[in-house]
Amino acid sequence: MLDRGLIGLRLPQATTTIEAGRIRRFAEAIDERGALYNDEQAARAAGYRSLIAPPTFVTTIRLDAYPAGDLYALAGLDLPRVLHGEQEFNYGVPVCAGDTLLLESEIVDVYEKSGGALEFLVVATTGRNQFDELAFESRSTLVLRRLPERTT
Amino acid sequence: MTLAAVHALAPGDELEPLVLPPITRATLALFAGASGDHNPIHIDIDFAQAAGMPDVFAHGMLSMGYLSRLLTERFPAGSLREFKVRFAALTLVHDVIVCRGRVRNVETIERARHVTLDLEATVPKRGITTLTGHAVLALPF
C-alpha cells in the first residue's frame, strides 16, 4: 500500500536541454506534421527561436529529466501495476529547441478507491526556461491496480 | 481552420473528427522510443502477460498526442492554455481511434477569446471511449 507520507515529497531539481531532433522524432511518432514542429526555418520565420514542442511533449521533457524508474523506486511503485489515470497540462510560453528547462517535481497527493483495489499517486511538475519564464505545469495521476492472482 | 473560422466558433460546434490509422506494434515501439516512456508493458508481450494483460496496449500519452493534433491542426500555435484528459479505457493493438472536439463555452477575457472544448477519443468498432477531457485556448483578437 502506498504511504500517504509521500505527499509533499519533492524530487531534486533537474535541468534538461531540448534537442531539435528529439522534437522531430516525437512529432513523427504522433504523426504531427505541422511545420512549426518539424521545420526550423518555418518556426523561425513564425517568430520562434527554433522548433516548438508539441503540447504533449511536456511528458517527454519530464521523463528525460526524471526517469520514471527513479520515481517508482522512490515511491515504491511496482512497474507492472502502474497505469496512467489522468494528465493535465497548463501552458505558459512555448518550449523551443535549444531551451534549457529547470524542472521541479513533487508528489502532491496519494489516495485510494474501491477499498484499496486502486491506489493513486499524483505528481506535479513545473518547467521554467532559461529566461525564468514558466513554460508548463504538469499534473500526472498514476493508478496502481491490484495484479490478478497468478494461475501458473 | 482560418482565424476567422476559429473566432466564429460557438457552443455546440463540433470540430471535424480526426480518424487515426490502426494502432500497430510498430506504432507503440516508435512512440516508446520517441516519447521516452519505456514501460515494457506497451512493447513487450511477455512482460504484459506476466502483468496479467492479454497483450501489450497503447500508451495513454499516444492517444493524448493524437488528441493534441485536433488542436494544433486547427488553432494558432501558442493559443493552447490548458489541456486535461482522463484515461478511461485501454487502447489495444489494431484499434482505430477517432478524436473529437466540441465547443463547450466561449468567453472574452482580457482582449482574448477563450474557447473551451470538450474532447474525447473513442474506438467506434469496440463502442468504447478511451479518453475524455477538455482544452482551453486563448485566441487574441
Side-chain angles (χ1 to χ4, degrees), chain A residues 32 60 85 87 89 91 145, chain B residues 35 51 69 72 81 83 85 87:
Chain A
E32 169 60 78
T60 298
Q87 180 62 48
F89 298 118
Y91 298 97
R145 66 195 171 94
Chain B
S35 72
R69 285 175 42 205
T72 59
R81 310 318 307 158
F83 184 20
V85 303
F87 301 102

Side-chain angles (χ1 to χ4, degrees), chain A residues 76-91:
Chain A
L77 307 186
D78 183 23
L79 180 62
R81 295 181 58 203
V82 177
L83 296 172
H84 202 167
E86 290 182 21
Q87 180 62 48
E88 178 174 5
F89 298 118
N90 289 280
Y91 298 97

Side-chain angles (χ1 to χ4, degrees), chain A:
Chain A
M1 209 172 112
L2 284 178
D3 178 3
R4 283 185 54 83
L6 291 167
I7 297 172
L9 183 71
R10 289 168 188 267
L11 281 64
Q13 285 189 341
T15 57
T16 184
T17 298
I18 310 303
E19 297 167 7
R22 193 108 173 89
I23 291 179
R24 275 197 210 90
R25 293 288 84 75
F26 183 85
E28 179 186 18
I30 60 168
D31 201 20
E32 169 60 78
R33 298 180 192 188
L36 301 177
Y37 314 102
N38 290 285
D39 178 344
E40 282 176 83
Q41 282 193 336
R44 288 208 180 89
Y48 296 100
R49 292 185 289 280
S50 182
L51 294 184
I52 62 171
T56 61
F57 188 75
V58 167
T59 293
T60 298
I61 297 170
R62 187 171 63 77
L63 289 172
D64 284 352
Y66 295 111
D70 293 4
L71 174 68
Y72 294 177
L74 194 66
L77 307 186
D78 183 23
L79 180 62
R81 295 181 58 203
V82 177
L83 296 172
H84 202 167
E86 290 182 21
Q87 180 62 48
E88 178 174 5
F89 298 118
N90 289 280
Y91 298 97
V93 298
V95 173
C96 296
D99 284 1
T100 297
L101 297 178
L102 174 68
L103 274 75
E104 295 186 322
S105 195
E106 179 179 350
I107 296 173
V108 294
D109 204 2
V110 172
Y111 57 96
E112 62 175 46
K113 285 184 185 171
S114 309
L118 294 173
E119 297 179 280
F120 297 81
L121 181 119
V122 184
V123 184
T125 304
T126 59
R128 306 186 75 84
N129 67 18
Q130 63 274 26
F131 309 110
D132 198 31
E133 298 166 320
L134 181 70
F136 61 80
E137 297 170 333
S138 159
R139 195 176 167 93
S140 305
T141 302
L142 303 181
V143 183
L144 277 82
R145 66 195 171 94
R146 190 176 281 168
L147 287 184
E149 297 292 326
R150 292 281 174 82
T151 52
T152 53

Side-chain angles (χ1 to χ4, degrees), chain B residues 88-138:
Chain B
L90 297 182
T91 301
L92 309 180
V93 176
H94 309 311
D95 273 350
V96 172
I97 300 170
V98 178
C99 296
R100 296 177 190 279
R102 175 198 280 259
V103 178
R104 183 201 303 172
N105 186 40
V106 179
E107 59 184 327
T108 300
I109 304 172
E110 289 173 3
R111 301 198 319 198
R113 195 181 296 276
H114 287 240
V115 177
T116 303
L117 298 165
D118 287 314
L119 302 170
E120 66 171 15
T122 63
V123 179
K125 192 171 174 186
R126 293 198 290 129
I128 59 160
T129 299
T130 52
L131 270 70
T132 60
H134 73 269
V136 178
L137 299 109

Side-chain angles (χ1 to χ4, degrees), chain B residues 59-73:
Chain B
H59 308 74
M61 291 307 298
L62 174 63
S63 291
M64 193 175 185
Y66 287 148
L67 205 49
S68 78
R69 285 175 42 205
L70 262 189
L71 311 172
T72 59
E73 292 175 3

